[in-house]
Amino acid sequence: MTRTTDVSRFPPCRAEATPPPTLHAEAIQLFCLPHAGAGASAYRDWPVMLAPGIEAIPVQLPGRENRHREPALHSASELVAELRGPLASRAGRDFALFGHSMGALLCYELAHVLSALGKPPRHLFVSGLGAPHLPPAGPRLHDLPDDELLAVIAELEGTSPEVLAQPELVQLLLPLFRADLEVWETYVAHRGSLQVPITAMGGRHDPGVSLDMLSAWGSLTSADFHLAVFDGGHFYHHAAPDDVAAVLKERLRESGPVPAVAEKYGHGTRA
């Protein structure tokens, strides 16, 4: 079956002269959503890293890289509404979701929406983010003054010092960071339990996400739950890509397709 390709939302993240990696015929699709301020290129090495058994598909959000002319969206509901149709069309019968930080929140929402459409993911990987029903763990960041927000961004070590040292780039990046942080900081959890296996992943030394916060994801699924902890901070996956790949491959081998049934939603709040 031919799958719909949307280059704006699912860019190849490789040079045109570089051939795509060889995949098994039964390769599992893994849609990868980026952290705040980042684009699909955050996963530029993953297609080769995870082939041939996993087809890594980076997801591009509005306002960045090849979609830089589009306005950034400021709420999870807007982003999920924008992505659900293309994702449902692009996804085959066997797919999973991976998101880091803000991307984990979007993956959680998309897992609910796609499950309700009768197309649940095989597995949900949430990385670098505490469970969304927990109370906020720190102060609001998206409306900080520029210099204070830049200090927070630098401390997380997800943006190179060379980029942060260029005022022109900073002025382009700050509105995007603010929009993405607002997505998380204004989010209100109102979903019930998923019927999808969840693996929560994080760095042992992440200053903003404790192991207890990661473990709390286990209460959001009626299926299997795993916690994978790595050496490193918030961007542990940049430092240990082989270890991350091993966990992804192992969990996807262990988890089978989940029943394609619409779930029942409960109610609750983040606060």
Side-chain angles (χ1 to χ4, degrees):
M1 182 179 74
T2 302
R3 293 173 181 167
T4 302
T5 300
D6 183 335
V7 176
S8 68
R9 292 177 177 84
F10 310 113
C13 287
R14 57 184 172 82
E16 292 183 5
T18 304
T22 301
L23 297 169
H24 291 323
E26 68 277 11
I28 301 166
Q29 293 173 304
L30 180 66
F31 292 95
C32 306
L33 277 78
H35 56 275
S41 64
Y43 299 105
R44 60 183 171 273
D45 298 327
W46 284 39
V48 172
M49 180 178 80
L50 295 176
I54 301 173
E55 180 189 7
I57 304 175
V59 177
Q60 194 72 283
L61 304 180
R64 58 213 82 199
E65 297 176 355
N66 64 310
R67 303 185 68 185
H68 69 277
R69 296 185 183 277
E70 302 177 46
L73 301 179
H74 292 250
S75 72
S77 59
E78 289 178 307
L79 281 166
V80 170
E82 201 277 337
L83 290 172
R84 63 187 176 193
L87 257 175
S89 177
R90 180 71 173 83
R93 296 184 62 183
D94 201 4
F95 72 97
L97 300 171
F98 177 96
H100 181 68
S101 199
M102 181 196 71
L105 174 66
L106 297 179
C107 283
Y108 169 69
E109 283 289 306
L110 285 165
H112 278 283
V113 169
L114 294 172
S115 294
L117 294 174
K119 199 166 189 176
R122 175 174 181 157
H123 206 104
L124 172 62
F125 296 95
V126 288
S127 168
L129 187 75
H133 64 288
L134 298 177
R140 286 167 62 102
L141 301 176
H142 77 269
D143 49 9
L144 285 176
D146 285 358
D147 57 343
E148 294 181 32
L149 180 57
L150 281 173
V152 172
I153 294 169
E155 185 179 357
L156 289 173
E157 300 180 346
T159 305
S160 71
E162 292 79 8
V163 169
L164 296 179
Q166 300 184 52
E168 298 84 359
L169 289 178
V170 167
Q171 290 308 308
L172 291 174
L173 288 173
L174 274 179
L176 183 57
F177 273 107
R178 290 191 187 280
D180 287 354
L181 289 170
E182 187 176 355
V183 167
W184 163 238
E185 292 174 350
T186 61
Y187 174 77
V188 177
H190 60 277
R191 303 293 194 180
S193 179
L194 284 166
Q195 299 176 22
V196 174
I198 294 178
T199 295
M201 307 167 69
R204 184 172 285 107
H205 307 297
D206 188 333
V209 184
S210 69
L211 299 188
D212 286 343
M213 294 166 68
L214 287 172
S215 297
W217 281 99
S219 67
L220 299 181
T221 179
S222 59
D224 291 340
F225 173 75
H226 297 272
L227 176 64
V229 182
F230 303 82
D231 288 332
H234 189 62
F235 290 98
Y236 69 90
H237 55 303
H238 291 171
D242 292 341
D243 294 340
V244 171
V247 169
L248 295 174
K249 292 174 182 178
E250 179 181 3
R251 293 290 173 255
L252 288 175
R253 278 197 305 267
E254 291 176 351
S255 61
V258 296
V261 295
E263 60 194 287
K264 297 179 180 180
Y265 295 124
H267 298 277
T269 62
R270 178 172 172 234

